[in-house]
Amino acid sequence: ETGVTQTPRHLVMGMTNKKSLKCEQHLGHNAMYWYKQSAKKPLELMFVYNFKEQTENNSVPSRFSPECPNSSHLFLHLHTLQPEDSALYLCASSQSVGLEYEQYFGPGTRLTVT
Amino acid sequence: EDKVVQSPLSLVVHEGDTVTLNCSYEVTNFRSLLWYKQEKKAPTFLFMLTSSGIEKKSGRLSSILDKKELFSILNITATQTGDSAVYLCAVDGWDYGQNFVFGPGTRLSVLP
């Protein structure tokens, strides 16, 4: 247990569905991250939030929409996804932004788009 | 374009062997390099390196960074089956914003 939880752990959705991934951290951290990990690609940073403010959006398609209502919760809203979006989505948190602050990863959500 | 290259991509050894994993990088405004171990899903942190030539050690694992040649190595001595995992190298740079770049990982399998 790293103190970062993600739900659901597995999700299967059609291309016309709308779903949301949830991440919650109980570590008192100020920074939260969404990563995508595909079978054959390196871990890719998608979004970074620091004190609820989005600081990075690494050219992520608009069909992925993040939301950070407070420093403990992070959502990733999904709509009209493509099959190539099937991947493991990892949430992480750290004391502040920057890899010098150890990131604690959640268990991930395995997403399959059909 | 910032990138991180790891080698080998896959490695099979027997218990007791020593392994060296390689990570080379090109990144704008390098700040730090990190090693992670990923067994099932979530990566777990191993080392952070910011200064060249200073070895970080934790038990049987050690790592060192060469900022001049832009690479790092992760050594594991007396390997055990529990060391089987994917080892990820990540680099933190700054290019008009935060930029974390991960390598593809090295899949290590330690056989009994």
Side-chain angles (χ1 to χ4, degrees):
Chain A
E1 289 291 332
T2 62
V4 181
T5 58
Q6 289 186 245
T7 55
R9 297 291 300 275
H10 300 272
L11 178 62
V12 179
M13 60 187 287
M15 290 190 284
T16 58
N17 291 156
K18 287 185 181 181
K19 296 286 184 183
S20 295
L21 310 185
K22 179 182 176 182
C23 175
E24 184 174 357
Q25 57 98 359
H26 311 276
L27 302 167
H29 289 164
N30 297 311
M32 296 187 78
Y33 313 79
W34 278 118
Y35 288 91
K36 175 183 177 183
Q37 188 171 38
S38 306
K40 295 183 179 180
K41 283 189 176 180
L43 199 61
E44 297 172 87
L45 179 65
M46 299 175 72
F47 300 104
V48 181
Y49 276 83
N50 193 29
F51 289 97
K52 304 186 298 179
E53 298 296 320
Q54 184 175 311
T55 62
E56 289 302 316
N57 173 346
N58 280 1
S59 303
V60 180
S62 59
R63 57 186 184 270
F64 295 92
S65 173
E67 179 191 358
C68 188
N70 55 61
S71 293
S72 299
H73 293 86
L74 185 64
F75 296 89
L76 188 62
H77 303 300
L78 316 170
H79 63 99
T80 58
L81 293 193
Q82 305 296 312
E84 59 264 30
D85 297 322
S86 298
L88 179 69
Y89 288 85
L90 289 164
C91 172
S93 73
S94 62
Q95 183 182 342
S96 187
V97 174
L99 281 184
E100 66 266 34
Y101 297 98
E102 181 178 347
Q103 292 188 30
Y104 293 77
F105 284 82
T109 295
R110 173 71 60 189
L111 174 67
T112 303
V113 181
T114 60
Chain B
E1 183 183 333
D2 295 346
K3 66 178 180 180
V4 176
V5 177
Q6 290 186 246
S7 64
L9 293 181
S10 173
L11 186 58
V12 181
V13 300
H14 287 90
E15 273 192 315
D17 289 349
T18 293
V19 298
T20 297
L21 310 183
N22 303 292
C23 174
S24 62
Y25 61 89
E26 293 176 25
V27 66
T28 305
N29 299 318
F30 171 89
R31 301 208 296 192
S32 59
L33 182 146
L34 282 84
W35 284 96
Y36 289 89
K37 178 181 181 182
Q38 188 172 24
E39 292 179 84
K40 290 184 180 177
K41 286 188 177 177
T44 53
F45 170 83
L46 294 175
F47 298 110
M48 185 183 77
L49 304 158
T50 55
S51 300
S52 214
I54 298 176
E55 185 182 49
K56 292 279 183 92
K57 231 176 137 56
S58 176
R60 296 176 295 102
L61 277 67
S62 64
S63 183
I64 197 160
L65 173 68
D66 186 327
K67 286 169 75 172
K68 183 180 175 185
E69 300 298 331
L70 308 182
F71 79 89
S72 173
I73 59 171
L74 175 68
N75 277 320
I76 309 175
T77 59
T79 51
Q80 302 171 357
T81 54
D83 295 326
S84 297
V86 174
Y87 290 83
L88 297 170
C89 174
V91 178
D92 178 10
W94 185 267
D95 184 13
Y96 301 103
Q98 199 74 46
N99 188 19
F100 306 156
V101 183
F102 281 78
T106 293
R107 181 172 295 280
L108 174 66
S109 300
V110 181
L111 304 178

